[in-house]
Amino acid sequence: MNENPTFAPATGIGSMPGADAREAVNTVVGSLEDFPFLPELPARGPGADMIGRTAGLLVEMYARVEPSGWRIGDRPGRDTKRARSWIGQDLDALEEFTQGYDGQLKVQAVGPWTLAAALELKNGESVLSDAGACRDLTGSLAEGLREHLAEVKRRVPGARLVLQLDEPSLTAVLRGQVKTASGYRTHRAVDRQVVEAALREVAGVHAGGPVVVHSCAPDVPFALLRRAGMTAISFDFSLLTERDDDVIGEAVEGGTRLFAGVVPGTDGPLSDPAGSVMGVRTLWRRLGLSPALLAEAVTVTPSCGLAGASPDYARKALAHCVQAARSLADNPE
């Protein structure tokens, strides 16, 4: 992976409201001229949700919807076909609205550990319960992402691709907090070195390109993600506490980019752009970091995906991220 790629100052997380791929891509490309992303539209239903969508990318591994969630099956059924069809529609829309584009473009998928916690084996237990199944899933995901990135690159040849792995369950996996099918017990914690190795394997499919891990859960494991070779870490800024200061400072000084989620992901009043990044400036002063580093180290994003927002608010939130990032660059003090 690139050591220190230059990132644009603002982007989104991934999900958008509504069910119209062309409208979503048009909004994203229009709002984020320097760093658009391939939108995800979970409102379309099973197969467009984050787990089903990523399950549709797997190679030689298939999943179907059961009442309890997504379960591994023997062959591609209608749920797999639906997920793949929607990704195809999304890529068609992306290709249409990015003619001649030559900047950064972000593509998201669920990471191996959140996927292992959510997908069920045939016996109804999560993939997380079986170390061999976890290894197989990681390999299938890596191969599927390699093909997906190649397809995006074919359709938008000038784009500099950024891969984002969504890992909201990562902390729960590390702490042994993922519940079993019965709900009465939890799966044992996965060894940190095993977690790190799987993340490194999946990130490795984008060799030479930046990889971001996103989690809007508390206690994001910054140090582990940096050891796994992640170029950037995306998080809900409001969930940081002062006990995160040391790892944040080390990340910035080590060249890891921070994707700071400072704009609310659901409808509500937006503060002025400078107010949205006031907490980032405060953190910087507390850490004793140079204000000149701010624009080099921080990309401004919503706190999480925008699937739960109204289309009007989603458009405003993305534009607000751009304005807040500009405020951070113009007035770093």
Side-chain angles (χ1 to χ4, degrees):
M1 281 166 277
N2 290 351
E3 284 301 303
N4 288 302
T6 302
F7 281 97
T11 191
I13 297 301
S15 67
M16 290 287 285
D20 186 327
R22 293 182 74 256
E23 183 181 333
V25 171
N26 192 24
T27 296
V28 167
V29 171
S31 304
L32 300 165
E33 294 177 2
D34 297 326
F35 198 176
F37 58 91
L38 177 62
E40 301 162 5
L41 302 173
R44 291 183 294 199
D49 60 298
M50 60 185 272
I51 298 300
R53 181 181 178 86
T54 300
L57 296 174
L58 297 175
V59 170
E60 293 182 4
M61 194 174 274
Y62 313 103
R64 64 177 186 272
V65 180
E66 296 287 340
S68 54
W70 284 89
R71 183 171 295 183
I72 302 292
D74 293 324
R75 61 186 66 83
R78 65 182 182 187
D79 297 321
T80 298
K81 289 170 184 168
R82 187 189 301 123
R84 291 177 177 176
S85 170
W86 274 328
I87 289 174
Q89 289 175 29
D90 297 343
L91 290 171
D92 289 345
L94 183 73
E95 186 174 5
E96 177 183 349
F97 288 103
T98 53
Q99 295 292 316
Y101 180 71
D102 62 358
Q104 285 184 316
L105 173 65
K106 185 162 66 68
V107 179
Q108 308 82 217
V110 177
W113 295 107
T114 296
L115 200 59
L119 280 179
E120 298 173 358
L121 297 167
K122 291 171 191 173
N123 64 6
E125 281 299 348
S126 130
V127 170
L128 200 60
S129 65
D130 183 323
C134 286
R135 286 193 294 273
D136 291 345
L137 180 63
T138 297
S140 174
L141 175 63
E143 193 53 44
L145 282 175
R146 186 178 284 111
E147 292 178 4
H148 184 47
L149 290 167
E151 178 63 11
V152 176
K153 187 69 176 169
R154 186 183 70 76
R155 289 170 178 259
V156 194
R160 300 192 306 279
L161 297 185
V162 176
L163 172 62
Q164 176 180 305
L165 300 174
D166 292 320
E167 281 284 14
S169 300
L170 182 58
T171 300
V173 167
L174 288 165
R175 293 182 175 174
Q177 294 170 337
V178 177
K179 283 188 163 51
T180 57
S182 69
Y184 296 120
R185 295 186 302 111
T186 56
H187 295 288
R188 67 178 61 181
V190 181
D191 182 272
R192 297 179 86 83
Q193 289 182 316
V194 173
V195 169
E196 197 179 310
L199 286 166
R200 190 179 290 112
E201 179 181 344
V202 174
V205 305
H206 194 35
V211 182
V212 187
V213 165
H214 166 72
S215 172
C216 45
D219 300 321
V220 176
F222 285 90
L224 181 147
L225 293 172
R226 290 183 61 225
R227 286 197 306 273
M230 300 306 155
T231 326
I233 300 170
S234 169
F235 55 96
D236 180 343
F237 192 85
S238 71
L239 297 178
L240 287 185
T241 66
E242 289 198 18
R243 66 172 187 269
D244 294 309
D245 281 7
D246 287 347
V247 290
I248 294 274
E250 287 166 11
V252 172
E253 288 171 348
T256 303
R257 183 82 174 191
L258 304 180
F259 280 37
V262 297
V263 177
T266 50
D267 291 43
L270 290 166
S271 71
D272 66 293
S276 292
V277 288
M278 190 179 299
V280 179
R281 290 194 184 93
T282 302
L283 171 67
W284 234 246
R285 283 195 292 273
R286 202 164 69 225
L287 294 175
L289 293 167
S290 163
L293 264 179
L294 266 173
E296 291 175 30
V298 175
T299 290
V300 176
T301 73
S303 57
C304 213
L306 294 167
S310 66
D312 184 54
Y313 177 83
R315 191 176 295 107
K316 287 177 181 170
L318 294 178
H320 193 84
C321 288
V322 174
Q323 293 160 355
R326 195 171 295 136
S327 162
L328 208 54
D330 292 347
N331 304 296
E333 302 285 353

